Amino acid sequence: MNMDALIVGAGFSGSVIARLLAENTKQKIIVIDSRDHIGGNCYDYVNKFGIRISKYGAHLFHTTRQDVWNFISAFGSWEPWEHRVLAKIYPRDDSDDFAYAPVPICIQTIQKLYDSSVQNEEGMRRWLVEETRSIKFQAPYKNSMESAVARFGHRIYNDFFHSYTLKQWDKSPEHLDASVLERIPLRYNMDDRYFTDPIQMLPSCGYTGVFQELLNHPQIEVRLNTDYFQERHCFNGVNFTVFTGPIDGYFASRGLDRLEYRSLRFEEDTIEMGDKDTVMQPASVVNEPSMRVPYTRTVEFKQFLNQRSTHTTLVREYSSSHGDPYYPVPNERNTKLYATYQQLAEKETEKERRTVLFLGRLANYKYLNMDQAIGNALDHWQRWIKDGVIETHDVN
Ligand code: FDA
């Protein structure tokens, strides 16, 4: 087969490396993906009602890294978009009354649900001191329930985190490492944006448009519906492989246990609205922390970039332990098991004449935001050049 490099996976990790190889070397590159589309989990499409849907859940680009933005903004056109999320809260168990409140928790959340007199940072700090006064838990916390209750108090914990975590991880916060809920942001100001990064954008023609441009290069060939494990014999002659699929899949023949993931099931519902600007929800994403519904959030895709359609499509997300691997499960078992896979990967990386490199969220068993996946690929590229993994005589 006439090729120099094989990239397994057409998500951001694989596609960025393919583009860098194409632009900086004379290599012929094949990008394969087992799915029938490019873009990995960022893939999106326009449905028959003219609404752009992200097949694998809402994707909002945000970053603090200027180099990542400089690189990716050259592909497709992008528009500023500040994401806001509301949670649907039922303050009383014995009533169906509910209120929408911003997440992450900020002054507006407190005003909406608990105390309208909180107006500024000082007031917010005072309110939280009162709210947590009787809490006895102290750092280092034993689990996520302790870490969240100590920071937010029982009311916020019960309204926002207890059931939501249970639905998302199928585990009560008492049984999750303290670090899981420790990462939840808490704001002492009025900022109700979901992200605070200085760069927050959405691609005007969708992520798929960005990937089409990334992979549009005469040295790159893309083959879809091509599973590496089934077709790897076709690529025996390739000396340079970048693998962005699941690391435990790559080493499946070694008989180790598999890594655990949480997955999502998506349920779609399209409703005729008549008016092109009318929407169903008060925000593009509504979190559902209550046990009254089995799903974790509802996404109304029409709201992203204010799309216009006579219909609206709502997608409900159900957390699941079956299906495509999405979120690594952070616990001791998986950390240890991944370390064993990592050792196998290091040995595999430099075989006699073959180089196999492992990159991306599945190969590194780590949740990565899009900018982190892109940044990781850019950083690895620099390191490979420095270490001579990419042969310098190949570089233009
Ligand atoms: P990705 O999974 O995208 O690509 C890997 C590719 O490899 C896949 O296409 C897969 O089919 C292919 N593959 C696997 N095994 C193979 C095999 N054996 N043979 C051939 N191909 C194979 N980030 C963010 O910044 N903002 C956001 O709002 C969100 N939202 C979000 C929602 C949800 C529900 C999830 C799960 C994730 C996000 N993300 C996100 C994270 C984002 O999806 C993530 O950063 C990128 O998908 C990572 O790109 P990768 O290329 O590493 O993996």
Side-chain angles (χ1 to χ4, degrees):
M1 184 164 289
N2 181 20
M3 85 176 103
D4 304 304
L6 171 68
I7 312 291
V8 181
F12 267 125
S13 302
S15 302
V16 168
I17 288 297
R19 184 73 193 197
L20 290 168
L21 273 169
E23 277 182 0
N24 296 291
T25 76
K26 296 185 174 64
Q27 296 195 4
K28 284 203 175 63
I29 303 132
I30 292 208
V31 179
I32 62 168
D33 205 297
S34 48
R35 289 171 169 165
D36 62 1
H37 57 72
I38 56 174
N41 273 7
C42 309
Y43 169 73
D44 54 20
Y45 62 94
V46 177
N47 73 8
K48 66 177 176 183
F49 305 102
I51 304 163
R52 185 169 287 282
I53 308 286
S54 287
K55 184 169 178 182
Y56 306 99
H59 275 73
L60 290 304
F61 182 87
H62 58 102
T63 191
T64 53
R65 277 185 65 168
Q66 191 61 44
D67 62 330
V68 166
W69 176 239
N70 291 347
F71 176 85
I72 204 62
S73 58
F75 304 97
S77 61
W78 296 72
E79 292 174 50
W81 182 262
E82 291 188 328
H83 186 45
R84 285 182 169 77
V85 175
L86 293 175
K88 191 173 182 182
I89 303 293
Y90 293 85
R92 285 176 38 197
D93 286 341
D94 58 355
S95 161
D96 286 338
D97 291 348
F98 61 84
Y100 291 107
V103 277
I105 308 289
C106 61
I107 292 179
Q108 296 199 52
T109 320
I110 307 306
Q111 289 178 341
K112 186 89 197 173
L113 293 177
Y114 309 114
D115 186 345
S116 57
S117 72
V118 175
Q119 298 289 341
N120 53 27
E121 178 174 343
E122 199 197 329
M124 178 76 171
R125 288 191 188 277
R126 227 182 305 121
W127 187 85
L128 277 166
V129 166
E130 281 308 312
E131 201 66 9
T132 54
R133 189 175 290 286
S134 61
I135 311 283
K136 298 280 181 284
F137 304 128
Q138 284 196 344
Y141 302 110
K142 289 197 203 73
N143 54 54
S144 269
M145 182 276 286
E146 289 193 4
S147 66
V149 169
R151 281 172 77 210
F152 297 98
H154 283 292
R155 273 197 292 182
I156 292 183
Y157 171 75
N158 287 328
D159 286 345
F160 286 84
F161 302 128
H162 178 263
S163 304
Y164 192 85
T165 310
L166 193 57
K167 285 198 278 186
Q168 189 170 18
W169 294 100
D170 197 22
K171 279 191 179 95
S172 170
E174 284 98 322
H175 301 120
L176 280 177
D177 201 86
S179 63
V180 177
L181 291 187
E182 250 163 16
R183 284 195 292 264
I184 302 273
L186 165 60
R187 302 213 181 116
Y188 295 89
N189 56 29
M190 299 288 277
D191 191 351
D192 66 344
R193 295 172 306 160
Y194 199 66
F195 308 112
T196 52
D197 293 356
I199 301 167
Q200 304 191 31
M201 294 281 176
L202 282 180
S204 322
C205 297
Y207 291 95
T208 303
V210 172
F211 280 93
Q212 278 161 349
E213 290 199 19
L214 256 177
L215 295 166
N216 180 18
H217 190 285
Q219 284 161 245
I220 301 177
E221 181 187 330
V222 177
R223 287 193 200 167
L224 300 175
N225 302 306
T226 306
D227 189 298
Y228 178 67
F229 303 125
Q230 283 165 21
E231 314 274 336
R232 92 208 270 182
H233 59 278
C234 304
F235 306 108
N236 275 341
V238 185
N239 292 333
F240 186 80
T241 302
V242 177
F243 181 81
T244 75
I247 192 162
D248 54 349
Y250 188 94
F251 293 109
S253 64
R254 308 291 172 100
L256 292 170
D257 284 344
R258 300 304 290 260
L259 291 161
E260 269 176 291
Y261 283 93
R262 291 299 288 169
S263 189
L264 289 175
R265 181 169 65 78
F266 299 101
E267 196 180 84
E268 198 176 305
D269 195 9
T270 297
I271 301 150
E272 188 168 355
M273 306 298 287
D275 185 279
K276 285 194 170 176
D277 297 315
T278 309
V279 292
M280 286 288 288
Q281 302 191 148
S284 54
V285 174
V286 170
N287 283 4
E288 299 275 2
S290 160
M291 273 306 197
R292 294 175 198 225
V293 293
Y295 42 91
T296 51
R297 60 178 190 170
T298 309
V299 181
E300 185 169 28
F301 282 93
K302 182 180 178 179
Q303 296 202 29
F304 294 125
L305 294 180
N306 303 318
Q307 299 173 68
R308 305 190 73 226
S309 168
T310 51
H311 290 68
T312 193
T313 301
L314 299 171
V315 178
R316 292 184 195 93
E317 295 182 1
Y318 295 78
S319 183
S320 157
S321 53
H322 308 291
D324 283 354
Y326 286 156
Y327 303 105
V329 178
N331 62 28
E332 213 181 313
R333 171 204 180 264
N334 292 325
T335 308
K336 278 194 187 146
L337 191 54
Y338 172 62
T340 311
Y341 279 114
Q342 223 177 351
Q343 284 168 3
L344 292 175
E346 275 157 25
K347 284 191 199 135
E348 187 80 358
T349 291
E350 276 300 333
K351 282 192 169 173
E352 212 174 321
R353 290 178 309 102
R354 268 177 80 226
T355 302
V356 184
L357 297 164
F358 296 84
L359 191 71
R361 65 176 193 101
L362 294 168
N364 294 155
Y365 193 60
K366 190 174 182 191
Y367 181 85
L368 297 175
N369 279 322
M370 289 180 281
D371 68 320
Q372 293 170 316
I374 297 166
N376 200 25
L378 296 177
D379 295 344
H380 274 80
W381 171 258
Q382 291 300 338
R383 207 167 307 142
W384 295 341
I385 290 188
K386 192 165 148 266
D387 295 349
V389 176
I390 308 287
E391 290 180 23
T392 44
H393 70 257
D394 264 350
V395 180
N396 285 332

